[in-house]
Amino acid sequence: MTERATDDRQDGPSADVIVLGSGLAGLTTALALAPLRVLLVTKTPTLYGGSSLLAQGGIAACVAEDDSPAEHAADTVVAGAGLCDAEVAAGVTEEGPEAVGFLERHGVVFDCDATGRLLLGMEGAHGRHRILHAGGDAAGRHLMAALAKAVQDAEHITVHDSTMAVDLALGEGPLRGLWAVGPDAVCRLFRSPAVVLAPGGSGALWPATSNPPEATADGLAMAARQGALLADLEFAQFHPTTLLTGPAAAGRLPLLSEALRGAGALLVDGDGHRFMLDEHPLAELAPRDVVARAVWRRRQRGEDIRLDLRPALAKRGADGFPQAVAACRAAGFDPFAETVPVTPALHYHMGGVLTDAQGRSSLPGLWACGEVATTGLHGANRLASNSLLEAVVFGRRVAEDILSSERRDALESSLPAPELAPPGCAGPCLELQSALRAVMGQALGVERAAPELDAVIAELQVLQDRLPAPGQESGDAAEIRTWLETRNMLLAARLVAQAALRREESRGAHFRRDYPMTRESWSRHISLTLSDLTASNEGPPLYAAG
Ligand code: SIN
């Protein structure tokens, strides 16, 4: 057990900029901030973690002669179902080739054919082959390995891994940095006038997800506690084809990339019927929400829905999809000889911290990029493989904006350290997390409706009330992290549920059984702040005024 300091502060390191998170967005931002001094804070034990690492699809960018940024932007806007910011979509797709160049300069090698031409894949709702891969479906691993090495070699970046962010240090004055707990379980103030949130998404809120367990909505909750504007929280994208590794499989399920369907893999029901032909002219390559609902509804009726990888494997070979083949084999399936069972699982949260086109949040001194941010690119439904592109483009934009802003020094401060998890709280917190995932699965899955949403909002409040109260003493680092993650998940879940209840229509990834049509009057964003949780007992952030 760690005796928490009762004095008014434990000073940590200081720098020009703090970047929270070590996915593609965080690493890109940190690299692009040179020569400013950067503290890169991440809760994972190495730089080799997070959702980016698991990305299979690759990065969408218009690099083919027969393609154009305008076409890529148009596909993005159609997928976004009326809620994309057309200017952001135009800008990001225009910057696609430059983003690819940035990655190549940092050591990423994209897959080419025998003549040296880039191999470009196809995915759902793209009008052209424009997805660059690296190592077949191991794109995330290849990108992250290259960027992690570049970060380790960069003199301007100091990495603090195994370090869990607690809260933004924001008192009455300007932002002073970030409270974070290191492996020694001590909460320190990491001081900087500029903080970039890039800690990833929220997949761990759902019972089945393609995300890693660390996707606990930390950035969303931290920004919310300080009153930042959040938007589009109701839009959570379900990937139609994760591998059902067992009859009651839950938690992180292996992704079977849409690139497989782009290369010919087929969805079939128990009779071997290719049911997507009945659902949409684009069949297996229909927009992701359409495919996810088609699979989900059949599974609800007890049907065994399967993906036949064989046409894709025949075309690209096992080398084209090493991760999919390995995942199938690990689960006891031979994808060369049989179809494999699939289910939709939470894949990407379009909602998050609202930013402008430079990645600035509504709080001065706070930027956001990557999955935690809502930049306007994805709207109600992200186009496949646009998120790695967004991570690089916005990571660089954020860095550029900070580099061109007036420089301020980190403020000396005398802020009281936040209170943390009481000893012995890990067990109760893990139970709360399981209960939270169960209610999210019931009410905030592929289809939603008011009665379930009302019930889940009440239930989440009950769970919130059961969160162990912070105390004068705290447990070890793992226990503190579990408590902080639980607190973040509870807050994020309550905000997501509120937004989903408010949007009385179906659009993009948000399908309301009680409002199955898209309504013109809802062609607008829902933005929320902490104060919108009217029945909240969240109270002020752990660190309030300083
Ligand atoms: C996939 O590989 O199917 C996922 C790609 C993405 O979500 O962008």
Side-chain angles (χ1 to χ4, degrees), residues 54-60 123 126 131 133 137 210 237 239-241 255-261 288 347-348 382-388:
L54 302 177
Q56 292 187 9
I59 180 165
E123 289 182 3
H126 281 276
I131 321 296
H133 296 269
D137 66 4
S210 61
Q237 184 175 76
H239 197 287
T241 56
L255 189 67
L256 295 178
S257 173
E258 199 158 296
L260 283 158
R261 281 176 278 132
R288 204 167 264 186
H347 183 56
Y348 190 91
R382 181 184 60 101
L383 184 66
S385 290
N386 264 359
S387 42
L388 295 186

PDB file of all heavy atoms in Angstrom, residues 54-60 123 126 131 133 137 210 237 239-241 255-261 288 347-348 382-388, ligand 1:
ATOM      1  N   LEU A  54      -3.394  -2.721 -33.707  1.00  0.00           N
ATOM      2  CA  LEU A  54      -4.251  -3.809 -34.197  1.00  0.00           C
ATOM      3  C   LEU A  54      -4.862  -3.494 -35.554  1.00  0.00           C
ATOM      4  O   LEU A  54      -5.573  -4.329 -36.117  1.00  0.00           O
ATOM      5  CB  LEU A  54      -5.382  -4.057 -33.188  1.00  0.00           C
ATOM      6  CG  LEU A  54      -4.932  -4.422 -31.768  1.00  0.00           C
ATOM      7  CD1 LEU A  54      -6.133  -4.565 -30.857  1.00  0.00           C
ATOM      8  CD2 LEU A  54      -4.134  -5.715 -31.789  1.00  0.00           C
ATOM      9  N   ALA A  55      -4.617  -2.293 -36.070  1.00  0.00           N
ATOM     10  CA  ALA A  55      -5.261  -1.909 -37.336  1.00  0.00           C
ATOM     11  C   ALA A  55      -4.840  -2.861 -38.446  1.00  0.00           C
ATOM     12  O   ALA A  55      -3.664  -3.170 -38.602  1.00  0.00           O
ATOM     13  CB  ALA A  55      -4.875  -0.478 -37.696  1.00  0.00           C
ATOM     14  N   GLN A  56      -5.812  -3.334 -39.168  1.00  0.00           N
ATOM     15  CA  GLN A  56      -5.525  -4.291 -40.247  1.00  0.00           C
ATOM     16  C   GLN A  56      -5.742  -3.673 -41.621  1.00  0.00           C
ATOM     17  O   GLN A  56      -5.066  -3.997 -42.587  1.00  0.00           O
ATOM     18  CB  GLN A  56      -6.433  -5.513 -40.110  1.00  0.00           C
ATOM     19  CG  GLN A  56      -6.132  -6.344 -38.889  1.00  0.00           C
ATOM     20  CD  GLN A  56      -6.929  -7.642 -38.868  1.00  0.00           C
ATOM     21  OE1 GLN A  56      -7.587  -8.001 -39.828  1.00  0.00           O
ATOM     22  NE2 GLN A  56      -6.872  -8.322 -37.746  1.00  0.00           N
ATOM     23  N   GLY A  57      -6.761  -2.805 -41.693  1.00  0.00           N
ATOM     24  CA  GLY A  57      -7.186  -2.319 -42.996  1.00  0.00           C
ATOM     25  C   GLY A  57      -6.116  -1.537 -43.724  1.00  0.00           C
ATOM     26  O   GLY A  57      -5.959  -1.647 -44.939  1.00  0.00           O
ATOM     27  N   GLY A  58      -5.356  -0.738 -42.995  1.00  0.00           N
ATOM     28  CA  GLY A  58      -4.347   0.084 -43.635  1.00  0.00           C
ATOM     29  C   GLY A  58      -4.742   1.548 -43.598  1.00  0.00           C
ATOM     30  O   GLY A  58      -5.540   1.972 -42.758  1.00  0.00           O
ATOM     31  N   ILE A  59      -4.165   2.313 -44.499  1.00  0.00           N
ATOM     32  CA  ILE A  59      -4.409   3.757 -44.502  1.00  0.00           C
ATOM     33  C   ILE A  59      -4.967   4.153 -45.875  1.00  0.00           C
ATOM     34  O   ILE A  59      -4.390   3.810 -46.911  1.00  0.00           O
ATOM     35  CB  ILE A  59      -3.118   4.537 -44.120  1.00  0.00           C
ATOM     36  CG1 ILE A  59      -3.369   6.046 -44.123  1.00  0.00           C
ATOM     37  CG2 ILE A  59      -1.941   4.173 -44.989  1.00  0.00           C
ATOM     38  CD1 ILE A  59      -2.259   6.827 -43.415  1.00  0.00           C
ATOM     39  N   ALA A  60      -6.094   4.840 -45.856  1.00  0.00           N
ATOM     40  CA  ALA A  60      -6.725   5.267 -47.106  1.00  0.00           C
ATOM     41  C   ALA A  60      -6.051   6.558 -47.561  1.00  0.00           C
ATOM     42  O   ALA A  60      -5.939   7.513 -46.785  1.00  0.00           O
ATOM     43  CB  ALA A  60      -8.216   5.502 -46.889  1.00  0.00           C
ATOM     44  N   GLU A 123     -12.033  -1.347 -49.806  1.00  0.00           N
ATOM     45  CA  GLU A 123     -12.855  -1.629 -48.626  1.00  0.00           C
ATOM     46  C   GLU A 123     -14.225  -1.015 -48.819  1.00  0.00           C
ATOM     47  O   GLU A 123     -14.450  -0.233 -49.753  1.00  0.00           O
ATOM     48  CB  GLU A 123     -12.172  -1.112 -47.359  1.00  0.00           C
ATOM     49  CG  GLU A 123     -10.963  -1.943 -46.997  1.00  0.00           C
ATOM     50  CD  GLU A 123     -10.286  -1.507 -45.725  1.00  0.00           C
ATOM     51  OE1 GLU A 123     -10.771  -0.576 -45.063  1.00  0.00           O
ATOM     52  OE2 GLU A 123      -9.246  -2.091 -45.403  1.00  0.00           O
ATOM     53  N   HIS A 126     -15.777   2.562 -50.388  1.00  0.00           N
ATOM     54  CA  HIS A 126     -14.776   3.298 -51.183  1.00  0.00           C
ATOM     55  C   HIS A 126     -15.098   3.074 -52.660  1.00  0.00           C
ATOM     56  O   HIS A 126     -15.389   1.945 -53.072  1.00  0.00           O
ATOM     57  CB  HIS A 126     -13.360   2.769 -50.920  1.00  0.00           C
ATOM     58  CG  HIS A 126     -12.762   3.265 -49.646  1.00  0.00           C
ATOM     59  ND1 HIS A 126     -12.118   4.477 -49.545  1.00  0.00           N
ATOM     60  CD2 HIS A 126     -12.714   2.719 -48.413  1.00  0.00           C
ATOM     61  CE1 HIS A 126     -11.692   4.649 -48.302  1.00  0.00           C
ATOM     62  NE2 HIS A 126     -12.046   3.594 -47.588  1.00  0.00           N
ATOM     63  N   ILE A 131      -6.498   1.744 -50.494  1.00  0.00           N
ATOM     64  CA  ILE A 131      -6.001   1.447 -49.148  1.00  0.00           C
ATOM     65  C   ILE A 131      -4.584   0.887 -49.234  1.00  0.00           C
ATOM     66  O   ILE A 131      -4.351  -0.159 -49.848  1.00  0.00           O
ATOM     67  CB  ILE A 131      -6.879   0.389 -48.415  1.00  0.00           C
ATOM     68  CG1 ILE A 131      -8.371   0.582 -48.699  1.00  0.00           C
ATOM     69  CG2 ILE A 131      -6.574   0.387 -46.921  1.00  0.00           C
ATOM     70  CD1 ILE A 131      -8.985   1.853 -48.223  1.00  0.00           C
ATOM     71  N   HIS A 133      -1.418  -0.908 -47.657  1.00  0.00           N
ATOM     72  CA  HIS A 133      -1.173  -1.883 -46.598  1.00  0.00           C
ATOM     73  C   HIS A 133       0.328  -1.979 -46.335  1.00  0.00           C
ATOM     74  O   HIS A 133       1.143  -1.583 -47.166  1.00  0.00           O
ATOM     75  CB  HIS A 133      -1.698  -3.259 -47.011  1.00  0.00           C
ATOM     76  CG  HIS A 133      -3.185  -3.280 -47.199  1.00  0.00           C
ATOM     77  ND1 HIS A 133      -4.052  -3.585 -46.181  1.00  0.00           N
ATOM     78  CD2 HIS A 133      -3.953  -3.006 -48.274  1.00  0.00           C
ATOM     79  CE1 HIS A 133      -5.297  -3.509 -46.629  1.00  0.00           C
ATOM     80  NE2 HIS A 133      -5.267  -3.146 -47.898  1.00  0.00           N
ATOM     81  N   ASP A 137      -2.288  -7.651 -43.811  1.00  0.00           N
ATOM     82  CA  ASP A 137      -3.238  -7.095 -42.838  1.00  0.00           C
ATOM     83  C   ASP A 137      -2.564  -6.732 -41.512  1.00  0.00           C
ATOM     84  O   ASP A 137      -3.254  -6.494 -40.521  1.00  0.00           O
ATOM     85  CB  ASP A 137      -4.423  -8.053 -42.631  1.00  0.00           C
ATOM     86  CG  ASP A 137      -4.029  -9.369 -41.968  1.00  0.00           C
ATOM     87  OD1 ASP A 137      -2.852  -9.522 -41.602  1.00  0.00           O
ATOM     88  OD2 ASP A 137      -4.910 -10.231 -41.803  1.00  0.00           O
ATOM     89  N   SER A 210     -13.278  -4.925 -31.036  1.00  0.00           N
ATOM     90  CA  SER A 210     -12.005  -5.220 -31.703  1.00  0.00           C
ATOM     91  C   SER A 210     -10.866  -4.451 -31.029  1.00  0.00           C
ATOM     92  O   SER A 210      -9.710  -4.626 -31.392  1.00  0.00           O
ATOM     93  CB  SER A 210     -12.079  -4.818 -33.179  1.00  0.00           C
ATOM     94  OG  SER A 210     -12.317  -3.420 -33.264  1.00  0.00           O
ATOM     95  N   GLN A 237     -19.126   2.883 -34.059  1.00  0.00           N
ATOM     96  CA  GLN A 237     -19.193   1.998 -35.228  1.00  0.00           C
ATOM     97  C   GLN A 237     -18.910   0.547 -34.840  1.00  0.00           C
ATOM     98  O   GLN A 237     -17.925   0.270 -34.153  1.00  0.00           O
ATOM     99  CB  GLN A 237     -18.153   2.464 -36.248  1.00  0.00           C
ATOM    100  CG  GLN A 237     -18.183   1.704 -37.546  1.00  0.00           C
ATOM    101  CD  GLN A 237     -17.197   2.302 -38.545  1.00  0.00           C
ATOM    102  OE1 GLN A 237     -15.989   2.097 -38.432  1.00  0.00           O
ATOM    103  NE2 GLN A 237     -17.697   3.050 -39.491  1.00  0.00           N
ATOM    104  N   HIS A 239     -17.904  -3.117 -36.154  1.00  0.00           N
ATOM    105  CA  HIS A 239     -17.317  -3.821 -37.293  1.00  0.00           C
ATOM    106  C   HIS A 239     -18.125  -5.093 -37.513  1.00  0.00           C
ATOM    107  O   HIS A 239     -18.380  -5.837 -36.561  1.00  0.00           O
ATOM    108  CB  HIS A 239     -15.850  -4.160 -37.013  1.00  0.00           C
ATOM    109  CG  HIS A 239     -15.086  -4.515 -38.242  1.00  0.00           C
ATOM    110  ND1 HIS A 239     -15.258  -5.718 -38.890  1.00  0.00           N
ATOM    111  CD2 HIS A 239     -14.168  -3.826 -38.964  1.00  0.00           C
ATOM    112  CE1 HIS A 239     -14.470  -5.749 -39.948  1.00  0.00           C
ATOM    113  NE2 HIS A 239     -13.796  -4.600 -40.021  1.00  0.00           N
ATOM    114  N   PRO A 240     -18.523  -5.367 -38.764  1.00  0.00           N
ATOM    115  CA  PRO A 240     -19.428  -6.502 -38.982  1.00  0.00           C
ATOM    116  C   PRO A 240     -18.781  -7.864 -38.791  1.00  0.00           C
ATOM    117  O   PRO A 240     -19.472  -8.831 -38.494  1.00  0.00           O
ATOM    118  CB  PRO A 240     -19.847  -6.357 -40.456  1.00  0.00           C
ATOM    119  CG  PRO A 240     -19.296  -5.067 -40.939  1.00  0.00           C
ATOM    120  CD  PRO A 240     -18.249  -4.607 -39.990  1.00  0.00           C
ATOM    121  N   THR A 241     -17.458  -7.934 -38.967  1.00  0.00           N
ATOM    122  CA  THR A 241     -16.848  -9.266 -38.990  1.00  0.00           C
ATOM    123  C   THR A 241     -15.668  -9.379 -38.025  1.00  0.00           C
ATOM    124  O   THR A 241     -14.509  -9.280 -38.430  1.00  0.00           O
ATOM    125  CB  THR A 241     -16.378  -9.638 -40.422  1.00  0.00           C
ATOM    126  OG1 THR A 241     -15.490  -8.627 -40.908  1.00  0.00           O
ATOM    127  CG2 THR A 241     -17.561  -9.772 -41.380  1.00  0.00           C
ATOM    128  N   LEU A 255     -10.161  -9.156 -35.222  1.00  0.00           N
ATOM    129  CA  LEU A 255     -10.781  -8.542 -36.396  1.00  0.00           C
ATOM    130  C   LEU A 255     -10.525  -9.400 -37.631  1.00  0.00           C
ATOM    131  O   LEU A 255      -9.428  -9.920 -37.808  1.00  0.00           O
ATOM    132  CB  LEU A 255     -10.120  -7.178 -36.589  1.00  0.00           C
ATOM    133  CG  LEU A 255     -10.724  -6.230 -37.608  1.00  0.00           C
ATOM    134  CD1 LEU A 255     -12.102  -5.773 -37.144  1.00  0.00           C
ATOM    135  CD2 LEU A 255      -9.809  -5.014 -37.780  1.00  0.00           C
ATOM    136  N   LEU A 256     -11.553  -9.548 -38.447  1.00  0.00           N
ATOM    137  CA  LEU A 256     -11.349 -10.128 -39.780  1.00  0.00           C
ATOM    138  C   LEU A 256     -11.583  -8.971 -40.744  1.00  0.00           C
ATOM    139  O   LEU A 256     -12.721  -8.606 -41.050  1.00  0.00           O
ATOM    140  CB  LEU A 256     -12.295 -11.306 -40.012  1.00  0.00           C
ATOM    141  CG  LEU A 256     -12.045 -12.509 -39.087  1.00  0.00           C
ATOM    142  CD1 LEU A 256     -13.045 -13.623 -39.337  1.00  0.00           C
ATOM    143  CD2 LEU A 256     -10.617 -13.039 -39.218  1.00  0.00           C
ATOM    144  N   SER A 257     -10.498  -8.407 -41.179  1.00  0.00           N
ATOM    145  CA  SER A 257     -10.505  -7.117 -41.866  1.00  0.00           C
ATOM    146  C   SER A 257     -11.483  -7.056 -43.035  1.00  0.00           C
ATOM    147  O   SER A 257     -11.675  -8.022 -43.772  1.00  0.00           O
ATOM    148  CB  SER A 257      -9.099  -6.840 -42.393  1.00  0.00           C
ATOM    149  OG  SER A 257      -9.112  -5.694 -43.201  1.00  0.00           O
ATOM    150  N   GLU A 258     -12.020  -5.847 -43.196  1.00  0.00           N
ATOM    151  CA  GLU A 258     -12.870  -5.585 -44.354  1.00  0.00           C
ATOM    152  C   GLU A 258     -12.089  -5.784 -45.658  1.00  0.00           C
ATOM    153  O   GLU A 258     -12.670  -6.025 -46.718  1.00  0.00           O
ATOM    154  CB  GLU A 258     -13.356  -4.138 -44.252  1.00  0.00           C
ATOM    155  CG  GLU A 258     -14.551  -3.848 -45.085  1.00  0.00           C
ATOM    156  CD  GLU A 258     -15.285  -2.627 -44.554  1.00  0.00           C
ATOM    157  OE1 GLU A 258     -15.796  -2.689 -43.417  1.00  0.00           O
ATOM    158  OE2 GLU A 258     -15.331  -1.633 -45.277  1.00  0.00           O
ATOM    159  N   ALA A 259     -10.762  -5.690 -45.549  1.00  0.00           N
ATOM    160  CA  ALA A 259      -9.924  -5.920 -46.730  1.00  0.00           C
ATOM    161  C   ALA A 259     -10.152  -7.335 -47.272  1.00  0.00           C
ATOM    162  O   ALA A 259      -9.998  -7.583 -48.471  1.00  0.00           O
ATOM    163  CB  ALA A 259      -8.460  -5.722 -46.367  1.00  0.00           C
ATOM    164  N   LEU A 260     -10.518  -8.255 -46.385  1.00  0.00           N
ATOM    165  CA  LEU A 260     -10.826  -9.613 -46.849  1.00  0.00           C
ATOM    166  C   LEU A 260     -12.024  -9.580 -47.787  1.00  0.00           C
ATOM    167  O   LEU A 260     -12.032 -10.197 -48.855  1.00  0.00           O
ATOM    168  CB  LEU A 260     -11.144 -10.517 -45.648  1.00  0.00           C
ATOM    169  CG  LEU A 260      -9.940 -11.008 -44.837  1.00  0.00           C
ATOM    170  CD1 LEU A 260     -10.377 -11.411 -43.435  1.00  0.00           C
ATOM    171  CD2 LEU A 260      -9.276 -12.186 -45.547  1.00  0.00           C
ATOM    172  N   ARG A 261     -13.062  -8.846 -47.347  1.00  0.00           N
ATOM    173  CA  ARG A 261     -14.255  -8.741 -48.218  1.00  0.00           C
ATOM    174  C   ARG A 261     -13.907  -7.950 -49.476  1.00  0.00           C
ATOM    175  O   ARG A 261     -14.422  -8.220 -50.558  1.00  0.00           O
ATOM    176  CB  ARG A 261     -15.419  -8.113 -47.447  1.00  0.00           C
ATOM    177  CG  ARG A 261     -16.099  -9.131 -46.530  1.00  0.00           C
ATOM    178  CD  ARG A 261     -17.188  -8.501 -45.679  1.00  0.00           C
ATOM    179  NE  ARG A 261     -16.636  -7.852 -44.514  1.00  0.00           N
ATOM    180  CZ  ARG A 261     -16.921  -6.629 -44.099  1.00  0.00           C
ATOM    181  NH1 ARG A 261     -17.771  -5.880 -44.780  1.00  0.00           N
ATOM    182  NH2 ARG A 261     -16.375  -6.127 -43.019  1.00  0.00           N
ATOM    183  N   ARG A 288     -20.541   0.019 -43.644  1.00  0.00           N
ATOM    184  CA  ARG A 288     -20.296  -0.874 -42.513  1.00  0.00           C
ATOM    185  C   ARG A 288     -21.520  -1.058 -41.625  1.00  0.00           C
ATOM    186  O   ARG A 288     -21.775  -2.143 -41.112  1.00  0.00           O
ATOM    187  CB  ARG A 288     -19.150  -0.267 -41.709  1.00  0.00           C
ATOM    188  CG  ARG A 288     -18.406  -1.248 -40.908  1.00  0.00           C
ATOM    189  CD  ARG A 288     -17.124  -0.644 -40.414  1.00  0.00           C
ATOM    190  NE  ARG A 288     -16.023  -0.994 -41.285  1.00  0.00           N
ATOM    191  CZ  ARG A 288     -14.754  -0.695 -41.017  1.00  0.00           C
ATOM    192  NH1 ARG A 288     -14.447  -0.024 -39.932  1.00  0.00           N
ATOM    193  NH2 ARG A 288     -13.801  -1.055 -41.836  1.00  0.00           N
ATOM    194  N   HIS A 347     -16.044  -1.165 -32.779  1.00  0.00           N
ATOM    195  CA  HIS A 347     -14.754  -1.025 -33.470  1.00  0.00           C
ATOM    196  C   HIS A 347     -14.171   0.373 -33.355  1.00  0.00           C
ATOM    197  O   HIS A 347     -12.978   0.544 -33.150  1.00  0.00           O
ATOM    198  CB  HIS A 347     -14.986  -1.391 -34.933  1.00  0.00           C
ATOM    199  CG  HIS A 347     -13.754  -1.380 -35.774  1.00  0.00           C
ATOM    200  ND1 HIS A 347     -12.638  -2.135 -35.469  1.00  0.00           N
ATOM    201  CD2 HIS A 347     -13.455  -0.720 -36.928  1.00  0.00           C
ATOM    202  CE1 HIS A 347     -11.709  -1.936 -36.391  1.00  0.00           C
ATOM    203  NE2 HIS A 347     -12.172  -1.074 -37.278  1.00  0.00           N
ATOM    204  N   TYR A 348     -15.015   1.408 -33.488  1.00  0.00           N
ATOM    205  CA  TYR A 348     -14.464   2.771 -33.544  1.00  0.00           C
ATOM    206  C   TYR A 348     -15.516   3.754 -33.052  1.00  0.00           C
ATOM    207  O   TYR A 348     -16.674   3.695 -33.472  1.00  0.00           O
ATOM    208  CB  TYR A 348     -14.069   3.123 -34.980  1.00  0.00           C
ATOM    209  CG  TYR A 348     -13.291   4.409 -35.073  1.00  0.00           C
ATOM    210  CD1 TYR A 348     -11.900   4.398 -35.007  1.00  0.00           C
ATOM    211  CD2 TYR A 348     -13.937   5.639 -35.196  1.00  0.00           C
ATOM    212  CE1 TYR A 348     -11.177   5.578 -35.072  1.00  0.00           C
ATOM    213  CE2 TYR A 348     -13.214   6.824 -35.257  1.00  0.00           C
ATOM    214  CZ  TYR A 348     -11.836   6.782 -35.202  1.00  0.00           C
ATOM    215  OH  TYR A 348     -11.121   7.948 -35.267  1.00  0.00           O
ATOM    216  N   ARG A 382     -17.708   6.379 -39.923  1.00  0.00           N
ATOM    217  CA  ARG A 382     -16.364   6.534 -40.488  1.00  0.00           C
ATOM    218  C   ARG A 382     -16.170   5.638 -41.714  1.00  0.00           C
ATOM    219  O   ARG A 382     -16.528   4.455 -41.699  1.00  0.00           O
ATOM    220  CB  ARG A 382     -15.341   6.163 -39.428  1.00  0.00           C
ATOM    221  CG  ARG A 382     -13.908   6.293 -39.840  1.00  0.00           C
ATOM    222  CD  ARG A 382     -13.031   5.799 -38.715  1.00  0.00           C
ATOM    223  NE  ARG A 382     -13.346   4.411 -38.450  1.00  0.00           N
ATOM    224  CZ  ARG A 382     -12.614   3.392 -38.873  1.00  0.00           C
ATOM    225  NH1 ARG A 382     -11.513   3.607 -39.554  1.00  0.00           N
ATOM    226  NH2 ARG A 382     -12.959   2.154 -38.602  1.00  0.00           N
ATOM    227  N   LEU A 383     -15.585   6.208 -42.735  1.00  0.00           N
ATOM    228  CA  LEU A 383     -15.219   5.411 -43.909  1.00  0.00           C
ATOM    229  C   LEU A 383     -13.993   4.568 -43.549  1.00  0.00           C
ATOM    230  O   LEU A 383     -13.039   5.070 -42.943  1.00  0.00           O
ATOM    231  CB  LEU A 383     -14.893   6.349 -45.072  1.00  0.00           C
ATOM    232  CG  LEU A 383     -14.583   5.705 -46.418  1.00  0.00           C
ATOM    233  CD1 LEU A 383     -15.798   4.985 -46.998  1.00  0.00           C
ATOM    234  CD2 LEU A 383     -14.100   6.760 -47.414  1.00  0.00           C
ATOM    235  N   ALA A 384     -14.037   3.294 -43.924  1.00  0.00           N
ATOM    236  CA  ALA A 384     -12.965   2.371 -43.549  1.00  0.00           C
ATOM    237  C   ALA A 384     -11.593   2.929 -43.908  1.00  0.00           C
ATOM    238  O   ALA A 384     -11.409   3.532 -44.972  1.00  0.00           O
ATOM    239  CB  ALA A 384     -13.173   1.037 -44.271  1.00  0.00           C
ATOM    240  N   SER A 385     -10.664   2.709 -43.002  1.00  0.00           N
ATOM    241  CA  SER A 385      -9.247   3.078 -43.179  1.00  0.00           C
ATOM    242  C   SER A 385      -8.987   4.580 -43.238  1.00  0.00           C
ATOM    243  O   SER A 385      -7.877   5.011 -43.568  1.00  0.00           O
ATOM    244  CB  SER A 385      -8.622   2.371 -44.392  1.00  0.00           C
ATOM    245  OG  SER A 385      -8.507   0.999 -44.089  1.00  0.00           O
ATOM    246  N   ASN A 386     -10.008   5.378 -42.894  1.00  0.00           N
ATOM    247  CA  ASN A 386      -9.779   6.826 -42.798  1.00  0.00           C
ATOM    248  C   ASN A 386      -9.205   7.224 -41.439  1.00  0.00           C
ATOM    249  O   ASN A 386      -8.755   8.356 -41.275  1.00  0.00           O
ATOM    250  CB  ASN A 386     -11.095   7.587 -43.008  1.00  0.00           C
ATOM    251  CG  ASN A 386     -11.257   8.059 -44.451  1.00  0.00           C
ATOM    252  OD1 ASN A 386     -10.384   7.829 -45.285  1.00  0.00           O
ATOM    253  ND2 ASN A 386     -12.366   8.715 -44.745  1.00  0.00           N
ATOM    254  N   SER A 387      -9.243   6.314 -40.449  1.00  0.00           N
ATOM    255  CA  SER A 387      -8.800   6.760 -39.123  1.00  0.00           C
ATOM    256  C   SER A 387      -7.286   6.855 -39.023  1.00  0.00           C
ATOM    257  O   SER A 387      -6.769   7.759 -38.363  1.00  0.00           O
ATOM    258  CB  SER A 387      -9.350   5.869 -38.022  1.00  0.00           C
ATOM    259  OG  SER A 387      -9.272   4.535 -38.407  1.00  0.00           O
ATOM    260  N   LEU A 388      -6.555   5.937 -39.663  1.00  0.00           N
ATOM    261  CA  LEU A 388      -5.092   6.074 -39.621  1.00  0.00           C
ATOM    262  C   LEU A 388      -4.681   7.344 -40.368  1.00  0.00           C
ATOM    263  O   LEU A 388      -3.776   8.068 -39.957  1.00  0.00           O
ATOM    264  CB  LEU A 388      -4.411   4.839 -40.219  1.00  0.00           C
ATOM    265  CG  LEU A 388      -4.599   3.510 -39.466  1.00  0.00           C
ATOM    266  CD1 LEU A 388      -3.747   2.414 -40.096  1.00  0.00           C
ATOM    267  CD2 LEU A 388      -4.272   3.628 -37.994  1.00  0.00           C
TER     268      LEU A 388
HETATM  269  C1  SIN B   1     -10.698  -3.370 -41.209  1.00  0.00           C
HETATM  270  O1  SIN B   1      -9.575  -3.768 -41.494  1.00  0.00           O
HETATM  271  O2  SIN B   1     -11.725  -3.929 -41.525  1.00  0.00           O
HETATM  272  C2  SIN B   1     -10.780  -2.149 -40.396  1.00  0.00           C
HETATM  273  C3  SIN B   1     -10.339  -0.974 -41.139  1.00  0.00           C
HETATM  274  C4  SIN B   1     -10.903   0.242 -40.461  1.00  0.00           C
HETATM  275  O3  SIN B   1     -11.705   0.119 -39.580  1.00  0.00           O
HETATM  276  O4  SIN B   1     -10.539   1.349 -40.864  1.00  0.00           O
END
